[in-house]
Amino acid sequence: LNDVTLEPTPTDNTDNSDNSDNNPSPPPTNNDNIPGTPAPTGSLCQQLPGKPGYWFKKDDLYYPCATTTRYYDGRKGACGCGVNDDLFPWQYQIYTAAANKAIFDSSTWCGAGCGICFELTPTGWSPDGTGTTNIQTITVMVTNLCPENPDWRWCSSPNTYGYEAHFDLMDYPFGSGLISGGLGWDNPEVYYKQVECPSTYLSNWNTCECKDQKPSSYDGPGTPLNDVTLEPTPTDNTDNSDNSDNNPS
């Protein structure tokens, strides 16, 4: 998305605080000087006015954020990457994921997101888990759908935590596979972008039933916001002083 103008979020400057400990400071964020409401407390992503979900700023670009979990069910999944209903072992030998409908672009079979690759980079924090201290970027291929039913908490769009996108990462053996054991990830928040799939991933993808239905282009989520102009937050300059000592001779 290019040449996007984001309008400021109106600010209510009414002071309703009771000066107790119920009004903590906003959660820390590395998106300094950017107007917008932070994502859940502790997150390093934030809302941008007029844009759904949460975003992470890096090098003057704004990347969409997503939640992650881990799974293994032994089944080929909704992109047909297996024989009968058994998955091809390569699905847990490279980074693959079941994506929610926002990414998968279908609620059944062979969605437009099948075979699409994304770079995921954790922020370290997690809305439900320990997150990770391993801030490593990985390339993930979508090979399955993370269904809203019964996984509405994570896989709806937006999900319970307010994120538009979700990646359920293949992890076998569960708890000690590429994600848990190799990366040490426990459901970290990530920011992501669509990328070209590595050649190894593509050769594996060509064994899947949905390979011929992969679109020539993909226009789903995963494009950073570029050349974004953010207007300053309005300032209330009303003078509420009592003028007692403000008019010296």
Side-chain angles (χ1 to χ4, degrees), residues 23-104:
N23 295 281
S25 300
T29 174
N30 62 348
N31 298 326
D32 292 337
N33 302 318
I34 305 298
T37 305
T41 301
S43 169
L44 295 182
C45 299
Q46 69 163 48
Q47 292 179 348
L48 290 178
K51 299 297 174 184
Y54 303 129
W55 300 79
F56 181 90
K57 185 186 180 214
K58 180 182 178 183
D59 299 331
D60 295 325
L61 292 176
Y62 301 85
Y63 294 86
C65 294
T67 46
T68 66
T69 47
R70 295 151 291 154
Y71 87 107
Y72 175 77
D73 61 8
R75 304 176 67 179
K76 66 182 178 182
C79 297
C81 298
V83 177
N84 297 323
D85 197 30
D86 297 326
L87 57 70
F88 290 132
W90 62 256
Q91 283 212 62
Y92 54 78
Q93 294 167 351
I94 63 174
Y95 296 118
T96 62
N100 71 343
K101 187 177 179 180
I103 297 288
F104 194 78

Side-chain angles (χ1 to χ4, degrees), residues 1 4-6 46-55 164 225 228:
L1 298 174
V4 178
T5 300
L6 297 173
Q46 69 163 48
Q47 292 179 348
L48 290 178
K51 299 297 174 184
Y54 303 129
W55 300 79
E164 293 290 314
L225 296 175
V228 176

